[in-house]
Amino acid sequence: MDIRSIMSEDPVVMEDTQQVAYARNLMLRNGISRVVVVDPDGKPVGIVTETDITRKLKVRGPAWRRRPIDKISIRRVMNENPISIDVNDTPRDAADLMLKNRVGSLLVMDGDELAGIITKKDLLRFFKDRCAGRWKVRDLMTGDVKTVTENHTISHVIGIMEENDISRVVVTRDGGVAGIITSENLSFATFEDPEKGIPVEKVYFIRKTSEEKRKVRTISMLTAGDIMTEDVITVNPSADASEAASIMLENNISGLPVVEDDELVGIITKTDIISGIQ
C-alpha cells in the first residue's frame, strides 16, 4: 500500500515573498497548523507551522522579531529544505522518516511536482484502521512523563518543554492527573513595559473549563494551574493502542496520559503510536 490513499492532496501553499501574517491567516481560515512555502515557479522551498511562528517570534533575539507580523518575511520563520517522500512509498516509510527526523509532516512528491502532504494525523488514521490488535497502550507509551504541579510557574513549564523538546506536560495532584498543558495552551506576544520601555513577554491563553474566559497576565504571575486543561481524557495501559488513536482523532488531541488505578503511569502520543506502524 502506498501513501496516495492516506495523504492530504492539494496542501495549502503560499509564496516565499509573503509575510508571516499571511501564513497565520491561511492557518486560521483553513483550520490547519502548517503551510507549504513555494517559490514563484511553485516549487516547495520550505514549510512553516504554528509552533515555528510561536517559537521564532519570541522577544529575545534580533530586532526583526519585534516587528508586526505583516512586516516579517515568511523566510525568516519557515523551515527550509522540507523533508519529502515519494508518492509510491509506504505508510511505514513515512512513519520511519518522521521519527528519524523528528518532524510532524512530510511533503509528498511525484517526481519534481508536489503531490500532497502527509502528517502524523494521517498516519494515526491509518494505525486506527489497519493496526488494531497489534499493540497495547503499554507497549508503545512513554513511561518517563514530564510533570509539574499546579503551583509551578509558567516559566518553569516552558523551561521543561524546551529543555526536553516536548509539546506537553502533565499537571499532577496527589499522584493523579489534575490537568495537562500543551503548546496549544500557550502563544506568545510582546508588549513594552510602560516604565522601562523594554519589550517583555506576555502570554495569552484560554483556560478550557466549563466557561472559557480569556485572560492576560505576565508570565511571572502565571502558574500551571491557571492555564492547564482540566477534565483530561486518559487511557488505561491495557487498552488497545488503536483505541488510543481513535480517542485522539475524535477529540483532536495529540497525547493521552496513561492511568492505572488512578495513578499516572505514562503518556502516549501520536509519535508513540506511529512508531507501531509495521
Side-chain angles (χ1 to χ4, degrees), residues 50-109:
E50 286 179 332
T51 302
D52 294 328
I53 294 173
T54 295
R55 289 181 176 174
K56 294 182 180 180
L57 295 188
K58 287 185 181 181
V59 174
R60 293 185 294 274
W64 64 262
R65 294 184 177 183
R66 297 189 287 277
R67 299 175 192 164
I69 60 175
D70 61 346
K71 303 297 183 183
I72 301 175
S73 169
I74 196 63
R75 279 193 167 272
R76 288 193 179 272
V77 300
M78 75 181 191
N79 292 299
E80 296 181 344
N81 303 314
I83 299 169
S84 63
I85 191 168
D86 188 84
V87 71
N88 295 308
D89 286 335
T90 67
R92 179 61 188 175
D93 294 327
D96 287 343
L97 203 52
M98 285 187 196
L99 294 170
K100 178 182 177 181
N101 292 279
R102 300 175 63 85
V103 295
S105 62
L106 303 168
L107 302 189
V108 182
M109 305 298 294

Side-chain angles (χ1 to χ4, degrees), residues 112-130:
D112 294 330
E113 298 297 319
L114 179 65
I117 189 170
I118 185 166
T119 67
K120 284 183 180 178
K121 193 170 185 178
D122 295 321
L123 290 177
L124 202 65
R125 293 192 188 96
F126 173 82
F127 186 98
K128 177 181 73 71
D129 295 336
R130 297 298 186 94

Side-chain angles (χ1 to χ4, degrees), residues 17-34:
T17 54
Q18 296 283 0
Q19 313 303 312
V20 172
Y22 186 70
R24 177 180 177 274
N25 290 337
L26 284 176
M27 291 178 190
L28 292 173
R29 188 183 314 140
N30 293 280
I32 55 176
S33 59
R34 68 199 74 232

Side-chain angles (χ1 to χ4, degrees), residues 11-263:
V12 176
V13 303
M14 64 181 290
E15 289 197 5
D16 59 357
T17 54
Q18 296 283 0
Q19 313 303 312
V20 172
Y22 186 70
R24 177 180 177 274
N25 290 337
L26 284 176
M27 291 178 190
L28 292 173
R29 188 183 314 140
N30 293 280
I32 55 176
S33 59
R34 68 199 74 232
V35 175
V36 179
V37 184
V38 299
D39 65 17
D41 296 323
K43 302 299 183 185
V45 294
I47 191 167
V48 63
T49 68
E50 286 179 332
T51 302
D52 294 328
I53 294 173
T54 295
R55 289 181 176 174
K56 294 182 180 180
L57 295 188
K58 287 185 181 181
V59 174
R60 293 185 294 274
W64 64 262
R65 294 184 177 183
R66 297 189 287 277
R67 299 175 192 164
I69 60 175
D70 61 346
K71 303 297 183 183
I72 301 175
S73 169
I74 196 63
R75 279 193 167 272
R76 288 193 179 272
V77 300
M78 75 181 191
N79 292 299
E80 296 181 344
N81 303 314
I83 299 169
S84 63
I85 191 168
D86 188 84
V87 71
N88 295 308
D89 286 335
T90 67
R92 179 61 188 175
D93 294 327
D96 287 343
L97 203 52
M98 285 187 196
L99 294 170
K100 178 182 177 181
N101 292 279
R102 300 175 63 85
V103 295
S105 62
L106 303 168
L107 302 189
V108 182
M109 305 298 294
D110 188 356
D112 294 330
E113 298 297 319
L114 179 65
I117 189 170
I118 185 166
T119 67
K120 284 183 180 178
K121 193 170 185 178
D122 295 321
L123 290 177
L124 202 65
R125 293 192 188 96
F126 173 82
F127 186 98
K128 177 181 73 71
D129 295 336
R130 297 298 186 94
C131 301
R134 294 187 185 180
W135 304 101
K136 297 294 186 183
V137 167
R138 64 167 55 91
D139 299 323
L140 301 177
M141 74 181 194
T142 300
D144 181 21
V145 191
K146 302 305 177 185
T147 65
V148 297
T149 70
E150 293 168 271
N151 292 318
H152 273 116
T153 66
I154 293 307
S155 294
H156 177 74
V157 173
I158 294 169
I160 287 179
M161 286 184 174
E162 292 182 343
E163 180 181 335
N164 295 279
D165 193 23
I166 55 177
S167 58
R168 64 189 55 78
V169 294
V170 177
V171 184
T172 59
R173 184 192 302 137
D174 299 326
V177 177
I180 194 167
I181 297 174
T182 71
S183 55
E184 286 76 19
N185 291 108
L186 302 166
S187 62
F188 296 91
T190 65
F191 74 103
E192 285 193 351
D193 186 297
E195 295 182 1
K196 301 178 181 178
I198 300 173
V200 294
E201 285 185 346
K202 178 182 284 187
V203 61
Y204 290 78
F205 66 90
I206 299 176
R207 185 174 183 179
K208 294 182 179 179
T209 57
S210 56
E211 295 182 6
E212 293 188 343
K213 184 183 296 184
R214 184 175 294 274
K215 302 179 181 180
V216 180
R217 300 184 199 167
T218 56
I219 286 179
S220 61
M221 295 173 60
L222 289 169
T223 66
D226 286 323
I227 71 166
M228 70 183 186
T229 298
E230 298 177 286
D231 301 323
V232 182
I233 303 171
T234 64
V235 67
N236 190 279
S238 63
D240 193 293
S242 66
E243 179 184 337
S246 180
I247 293 171
M248 290 183 200
L249 290 167
E250 289 173 6
N251 294 277
N252 195 30
I253 53 179
S254 299
L256 296 169
V258 183
V259 174
E260 186 172 31
D261 297 328
D262 296 326
E263 182 179 349

